[in-house]
Amino acid sequence: MADTAFMEKLVALCKRRGFIFQSSEIYGGIGGFWDYGPLGVELKRNIKNRWWQDMIVNPPAGPDGRELEMVGLDCSIIMNPQVWVASGHAGGFADPMVACKTENCNALIRADQFFCVAYFPVPMTGTELDELSTVLDGLIRKFKQAISAGVENGESELEKLITEFSAFSKLQTPLLVKSVIASSEIEAIASVTLTKLERKLVGESSKSPLAFPFSAAYQMRNTFGPVCCPRCGLASLATPRQFNLMFESNTGAVRTESSRVYLRPETAQGIFCNYKNVLDTSRVKIPFGIGQVGKAFRNEINPRNYTFRSREFEQMEIEFFCRDEDSMMWYEFWRNTRFKWYTDLGLAGSKLRLRDQTKDELAHYSRACADIEYLFPFADDFQELEGVAHRGCFDLTQHAKHSGKDLNYFDEEGWAKFLAERKAKGEPELTKDQKAEIGGKAPYRFLPTVIEPSAGADRGTLAFLCEAYHEDTAPDEKGVAQTRVVMRFHPKLAPVKAAVFPLVNKEGMPETADKLYKELKREMVVQYDDGGAIGRRYRRQDEIGTPFCITIDGETIGAAGATNPGTVTIRERDSLQQHRVAIGSVKAWLKERIGD
RNA sequence: GCGGGCGUAACUCAAUUGGCAGAGUGUCAGCCUUCCAAGCUGAAUGUUGACGGUUCGAAUCCGUUCGCCCGCUCCA
């Protein structure tokens, strides 16, 4: 169950303490855009820096035990518009939506994700059903491919399908396009369970149902009858409309059709477009990866759930290039590596899961995809933080085709070895033509296969915020249990690593504390606080998730009766335990616990 | 896009039938305080989202508009 009360408390805290603000708040805000305040920026930066450090600078060893080759990149947000034609975003990143006009229904349907069912007046024979299934399978596959490939002219693609369907459908005339069902049920309809489903849909009547894409059904409504809303069941659907999710802008001061450009909807295409540059300049060899952290933009139909679905968001993406025969090994590697990264940083509970996508969910070019998902307090279901996708060589193929450039990888090492082996065996030297012939294809020249771990930085930040929020009880000075709000960030992610307090504002304690504070701030984010009672200061730091509080007391300054002169207390946020540490060792003590 | 809900201090929320815009928390200043907030004193902060209307008088009623939240839907 969604815990809205929890979410409201977290959102209030984020505002009150300066983690997250609404964008342009003084003007009433703007939906789908958010600002990170002084603490939020530290938290998000820590997450991005960790990612960069753990994935690019010092990645774990590969599945073969060898060092991983990873390099970084920082691409522009606006690219040549042809990029988006090649990637499929220009054509396919637009969802055909259809709304129901019934007063109390108003359902909104993704037309490409729904299929219609038609019923035939006469029962079919087993052979006819088999034939029907085969044809349907083919049609559905083609339709899905057309959608995911982002065919530039979806209309004509649909018409082709309809013609094909009509040719077949002279077998029987459908009675009525009755309902719309989710694509996940399509397998059931198009395969052997026809009769079972038939019963489910039309009781014990003998009509045989036939399913086909919603858009096709809509176009054929004059022949087959009206398409009904899946929710209210009435024939009240409006004309399907395109929802384009690309942000548009213009280059140059004069706006014309040809000046139109797009803000990138993902950082990945910048990597693919620079893949050849990286190969040519940085001495990397396959397998290797390129990582990038950067903003991306999508005109979400309806941004919701705090920062979870923003229209401007930040991604942390890797494109890992490898040989196709090793690709499933690398896919497994990245799938596990990325999941472990989250658990190591504290998303360790049952709220985090690794889920393999089903065949239905996969894009047509994708061989496998795993989602790393988090159960946010605002949702009933797990939501995606990151997708690790096996993309085959789809992207590079597309860019090679559209740019006209050869994006093949040439394995110089393997080629040299091949030539040397021939020589050793005393085989005759190859002619120029033979060399071009053999060296011009696999295994020496080929388009690499790509594994893409693509993480949402803002989603990750939000997940870490949700995971950190705790209310527990701690005793006050009278020993009475009091509720306290504590953000239990992993020390590596905590926006403030430590706070320095003088126990009281006299006897030289402020001076000593200030000196320690200034020394620590050279290497980490620390705060100095002398305001109010010590307990109040502890609670303030608990609320922003500072893992360690250092107090300068009588012992530190060697007051009369001190048994541990020159030591401070370091209080731990989660356990409330205190440690006595020599003031000169504080920095080392903290660094040991916070890590690099 | 459609439907519903809602806009009062930094946060959480009051304000009787239309009658002087308030409280708690937080923040700031000072005092007190030798280790876990709700000790003391004081202070600042509001064109009640905006515009218009009704009225002697509007946070409150009406209209318009802007924005936010929820549902349908999408996704990193």
Side-chain angles (χ1 to χ4, degrees), chain A residues 251-420:
Chain A
T251 52
V254 180
R255 297 196 164 192
T256 66
E257 188 62 25
S258 64
S259 73
R260 182 180 299 154
V261 290
Y262 301 94
L263 308 194
R264 66 183 176 200
E266 60 174 32
T267 59
Q269 300 308 323
I271 299 181
F272 291 125
C273 290
N274 277 294
Y275 145 85
K276 200 71 175 165
N277 282 336
V278 172
L279 268 186
D280 292 345
T281 54
S282 59
R283 306 184 64 214
V284 289
K285 289 181 197 141
I286 273 181
F288 73 98
I290 305 177
Q292 166 160 233
V293 176
K295 288 278 179 92
F297 304 81
R298 294 183 190 181
N299 253 324
E300 296 294 344
I301 298 165
N302 208 337
R304 285 291 158 87
N305 290 329
Y306 204 28
T307 61
F308 183 79
R309 182 170 296 123
S310 306
R311 291 191 164 129
E312 173 177 346
F313 58 100
E314 199 154 15
Q315 293 185 304
M316 306 185 290
E317 279 197 307
I318 294 168
E319 305 300 332
F320 192 81
F321 302 90
C322 60
R323 284 181 178 275
D324 193 55
E325 55 267 36
D326 301 331
S327 62
M328 285 312 287
M329 173 183 83
W330 285 110
Y331 167 72
E332 290 292 328
F333 168 78
W334 280 111
R335 184 179 167 279
N336 298 330
T337 298
R338 289 304 305 148
F339 186 73
K340 186 169 181 293
W341 187 80
Y342 288 98
T343 57
D344 285 352
L345 287 173
L347 292 192
S350 57
K351 291 199 183 77
L352 188 77
R353 77 174 181 193
L354 181 58
R355 187 182 66 87
D356 291 307
Q357 283 195 6
T358 61
K359 268 188 186 161
D360 282 352
E361 294 174 86
L362 295 178
H364 70 278
Y365 50 78
S366 181
R367 222 169 298 170
C369 187
D371 287 342
I372 296 167
E373 301 178 324
Y374 186 74
L375 186 58
F376 283 96
F378 54 72
D380 293 330
D381 295 317
F382 283 78
Q383 307 277 323
E384 187 174 352
L385 295 180
E386 172 162 354
V388 180
H390 186 306
R391 296 184 62 86
C393 57
F394 174 76
D395 304 276
L396 289 178
T397 304
Q398 288 294 106
H399 285 301
K401 196 168 90 188
H402 283 79
S403 69
K405 299 287 190 297
D406 179 9
L407 298 181
N408 278 297
Y409 178 84
F410 183 60
D411 178 7
E412 297 187 49
E413 216 176 351
W415 179 245
K417 199 170 153 202
F418 167 74
L419 291 182

Side-chain angles (χ1 to χ4, degrees), chain A residues 433-447:
Chain A
D433 285 350
Q434 283 173 319
K435 278 185 181 172
E437 163 76 22
I438 300 168
K441 60 188 183 193
Y444 306 112
R445 189 179 293 274
F446 59 95
L447 273 187

Side-chain angles (χ1 to χ4, degrees), chain A residues 448-463:
Chain A
T449 291
V450 171
I451 309 299
E452 177 190 81
S454 172
D458 304 271
R459 291 184 171 190
T461 303
L462 184 58

Side-chain angles (χ1 to χ4, degrees), chain A residues 572-589:
Chain A
E572 284 186 309
R573 178 193 65 203
D574 298 342
S575 67
L576 305 178
Q577 274 187 339
Q578 297 198 355
H579 306 271
R580 277 230 155 256
V581 177
I583 193 164
S585 314
V586 168
K587 193 191 281 180
W589 192 97

Side-chain angles (χ1 to χ4, degrees), chain A residues 552-565:
Chain A
I552 307 304
D553 59 10
E555 300 283 333
T556 319
I557 56 166
T563 52
N564 296 298

